[in-house]
Amino acid sequence: MNEYADTSLRSTQPAPPTIQNTAIVIPTYNAKGHLNDLTHALESQKYLERNNVLVIDSSSTDGTAEFFKDWGANVHIIPQSEFDHGGTRRLAVEIAQAAEFIVFLTQDAIPFGSSSLQRLLAAFEDSTVGMAYGCQLPRSEARGIERHARLMNYPPDTCEVRSIADRDRLGIKTVFCSDSFAAYRRTALEAAGGMPESAFFAEDQIVAGRMLLGGWRISYRGDAKVTHSHGYSISQDFKRYFDVGVFHARNRWLIATYGRAEGEGLRFVKSELGYLWTTDRPQLLSAIIRTLAKYAGYRLGRFEGHIAPALKRRFSMAPYYWTRAA
């Protein structure tokens, strides 16, 4: 049975206030391959109306913007050259001025079941919560490395609320979150300075760090789920961790406030090798090579100030950013 197919389960009761006052923001670019699954999943969400969905499209050439307009979403088109992970989301928050809560999805994050959004927004029943993020499940075709990454970072069916007091216990993990499926209370977001005007990576963690310092709390909702994972190549893993290194080098206040990332990385590697040993041993060698590539990428990223722009474009998952920055 398709878990998205049965829309007859929608309640006839009035929508909860959080749903009524929510904008669902989806940045898109050439999303044709995900549109049917994504809109079908959105249609199954309890209480959600299509005009609650705001699509910020980076001038797609495959009909993405037209598809969403016909579907009933609000669509705002920007030049591809102007896309920025932080700035584009900041623009979306400004456009959705009437929304008290803002949910961010990526075009390949597919809500799982009919209550994903409702459960995520339930985090705001706690008035101290400024931000919430949900569980990301691996794709059906994912192998051990990809599955472990999701299990490690997004344990299903568990919920927790973190505050600044947790930094001694969790270190840099205190600010972990993901705008692939996250929600913000507008007042908390504004108090934290809003989305960064320019951020090519991890804009969500910048906001999380600021919110925690401002006394707000962050909620992880493992019962609110989307299907979202990537089968990165070794080269892509290197590039992604180069970007992580750049991010940490440029946001040293996060490390100074919450702790270094290397300890968390070692814990992840130990867990990954143990998981693969019991579930997918043929991937063990790949995991070891990937670990070396990730570490090399991260260390290079930390010293990006000494690297030529042309090399940064080759090393990064976001070469467009370095083209603009040059």
Side-chain angles (χ1 to χ4, degrees), residues 118-157:
Q118 188 181 13
R119 289 172 176 169
L120 183 66
L121 290 166
F124 297 115
E125 293 173 4
D126 181 340
S127 62
T128 69
V129 169
M131 176 184 182
Y133 68 104
C135 174
Q136 298 182 28
L137 302 172
R139 304 173 300 160
S140 59
E141 64 268 34
R143 291 194 59 187
I145 290 174
E146 190 175 338
R147 289 183 173 276
H148 171 264
R150 287 300 178 256
L151 181 64
M152 184 75 170
N153 290 323
Y154 306 98
D157 301 317

Side-chain angles (χ1 to χ4, degrees), residues 99-115:
E100 183 180 355
F101 303 95
I102 300 97
V103 174
F104 289 111
L105 280 171
T106 50
Q107 64 190 34
D108 57 346
I110 312 300
F112 184 87
S114 62
S115 301

Side-chain angles (χ1 to χ4, degrees), residues 30-47:
N30 288 347
K32 184 177 181 179
H34 305 290
L35 294 179
N36 287 332
D37 287 343
L38 178 56
T39 53
H40 198 182
L42 289 172
E43 288 165 2
S44 78
Q45 296 303 299
K46 293 179 179 179
Y47 310 113

Side-chain angles (χ1 to χ4, degrees), residues 174-190:
T174 313
V175 301
F176 181 82
C177 47
S178 173
D179 274 345
S180 289
F181 184 41
Y184 295 79
R185 187 190 301 272
R186 179 181 290 275
T187 51
L189 181 59
E190 291 176 347

